[in-house]
Amino acid sequence: MRAAAIAAEDELEDIAVTAEVARRTIGLDMFDVQIHVALALMSGKIAEMPTGEGKTLAAVPVICRHAKQNRGVHVMTANDYLARRDTRWMTPIYSFLGLSVGCIQQEMTRDQRRLAYSCSITYTTANEVGFDYLRDGLALRPSEQIQRPFNAVVIDEVDATLIDEARIPLVIAGGTSEQATLARRADEVVRELRLARDYLVDEHSHNVALTDDGIAAVERAFECGSLFQASNLSLHAAVQDSLHAHALLRRDVDYLVKDDRIQSVDEFKGRIAPSRRWPASLQTAIEAKEQVALRTQGRILGSITLQNLIALYPQVCGMTGTAATQAEEFESVYGLQVKVIPTRRPVIRVDHPDVVFPTKGEKDRAVIQEICRAHASGRPVLVGTASVEESERLSAKLAPVPHQVLNARNHDREAAIIERAGQLGAVTVSTNMAGRGVDIELGRGVADLGGLYVIGTNKHESRRIDNQLRGRAGRQGDPGSSRFFISLEDHLLVKHGIDHPGLTDDPESIQRAIEGHHLETRRFLHQYEGVIEQQRRSLQRQRQEILLGDRPHASEAERIVELTTIDDLWSEHLADVAELREGIHWVSFGGREPLHEFLKNVCDRFDDLRDSFEEEVAKRMAEVKGGRHEVLQRGATWTYLTTDQPFGSGGQRIFAGLRRKYEAGSFWG
């Protein structure tokens, strides 16, 4: 008890000192609610704090407390801009306390990154930390590594990192360019296929499959004999990926075409995700579909999800405006409790009940009328839409009303558009870009008119995303209101109404059911992936011992050969595991349990990797002695994000299943 009391006194003293330094250096006072946030963070919790309440300053006491341990603390923000802004803003406090501060930006060199990581405090993004971690994991010399061992992390917008993006793999790849001929040819053939006749689409499961007629059409076009022969594996995979690209992925919704490149759109943020690609062959199929240059995909050398990256930190805490709805997941998956912090001033925003229409057309007309009515009164209006396509379609219908559009196509104008969004008479049509991390200040006289009016045109699968949009209004006790206009033809109700037919006019109940389903899915997938992560850590420890010279070697060449051999064997293992995942679902047809079969196979293959290591090293050393010195060199590598499809695309699984059923003589039966 006495130790706990002393620790609590120390925490309060740290907060008091930081608050006083903040007042002296940057002229800001810490309010009671910010102190409550600081206490929650110091106890390793997630603090839910609404927008505009001062999360940036509230986190500083715990950042300073961790920094005094001299082992480094990472502060993860949502993007490079916020990392840069918060570093500049808070540096006077840290400098006064004798703490050094670094900031990681995407365009930085290795030396600049090493310097930033060596500081007491490093502002960055989760992606940059993850990519640097993967690069360090391929270093051939200790001097090439730039990170220190992980110690503590404070995560802003923690629900985005640990829930929305937790299972998105960060990838490092290398190797030579693949042949583009097959992808181009598959694209030509798929363009001639017709829905219902040649292929079927299941929007609910996000799957697409060839029919008998479609299979026959592909076989005729390629003159390949049976599409299901082992020799046609690459061909039918290319066709299926092309079919997936054409039937299930939509331009200006799932991605944009800009500067002769496919640019993925983040479904949660509505922003371009510049480093994100789909799994290699599907990415190539999309590029072929849009007739842009095909980018080199290479082979995967290493990968880690944000969930597993954060698990490497001994000390974790975070903040967000929306965490309470996922409190169970934070507790069960990460062991993090959620503390809801009251607002400094009462929230007087009025959240009106949803308005439900039978059709999209009726909904759109009602939305336009409501925007025009509010605009006529002078109230600023923020309209949240689900995609670039929808934002531009709504904009066209709003032509007579002066307004601004904010989406991934014009993200460079974001600051200027947001600056005006709370002014008298402003109308802003936006994707999810305006739904998180955006602080809209009211112009003169706007509060007397009722404040900002937020209109949502769709409900998302997660209530948190809707609540983020609502939270743009009513900041710091300001007046404001929100209302969602939805239709029974909206994507949420069409896709999930099949599972919940009695709830088609009750979106929130559907959202709760979807959130529960997603939680169970993430837990289930974590079981599949957990063993691979353990293998990765085991191999990485062995690799680090070799890198640092903890194991004796006969020569420098042998040390490098051992490192590159580990890397190549692990890359091959990842490829084997990916292939195994794509087909493991179908072992249930034989009465076997998929998870057991998967884990058994993965463990057996990892044992094979271990057993082959010494023999492979000996073989490569013989090649070096014979004059093949290229095995001592590392080729070019690059990093990217891929999509959360740990078991392959739905189409690949369907295709694999159909092939097995065909070979078993029970095709379509």
Side-chain angles (χ1 to χ4, degrees), residues 95 106 115 145 147 333 368 449 456 543 574 615:
S95 297
Q106 191 171 7
L115 181 61
Q145 293 190 319
Q147 291 180 334
V333 176
I368 297 295
L449 298 173
R543 191 188 192 283
L574 290 178
E615 181 181 345

Side-chain angles (χ1 to χ4, degrees), residues 156-229:
D156 193 12
E157 304 294 357
V158 65
D159 57 328
T161 300
L162 296 188
I163 305 292
D164 298 336
E165 300 170 0
R167 301 210 49 80
I168 295 177
L170 283 68
V171 173
I172 187 164
T176 56
S177 178
E178 297 86 357
Q179 292 294 323
T181 307
L182 186 57
R184 297 284 194 200
R185 180 71 180 114
D187 181 74
E188 294 172 0
V189 171
V190 166
R191 287 178 186 274
E192 301 301 318
L193 301 182
R194 293 294 173 261
L195 179 63
R197 183 191 72 188
D198 299 315
Y199 63 93
L200 301 174
V201 174
D202 180 356
E203 284 282 1
H204 173 63
S205 300
H206 208 60
N207 287 332
V208 58
L210 291 167
T211 64
D212 286 344
D213 286 344
I215 292 167
V218 171
E219 290 172 345
R220 285 195 302 272
F222 284 96
E223 299 180 344
C224 62
S226 171
L227 190 59
F228 301 95
Q229 293 174 358

Side-chain angles (χ1 to χ4, degrees), residues 36 64 113 173 176 201 209 232 243 260 273 335 416 425 457 482 504 520 582:
H36 284 302
C64 293
R113 290 169 182 267
T176 56
V201 174
N232 288 328
L243 195 58
D260 196 41
T457 63
S482 71
T504 50
E520 291 307 313
E582 290 177 9

Side-chain angles (χ1 to χ4, degrees), residues 21 25 64 87 90-101 121:
V21 172
T25 56
C64 293
T87 300
M90 297 296 122
T91 287
I93 300 175
Y94 302 133
S95 297
F96 188 97
L97 294 170
L99 301 171
S100 56
V101 191
I121 301 159

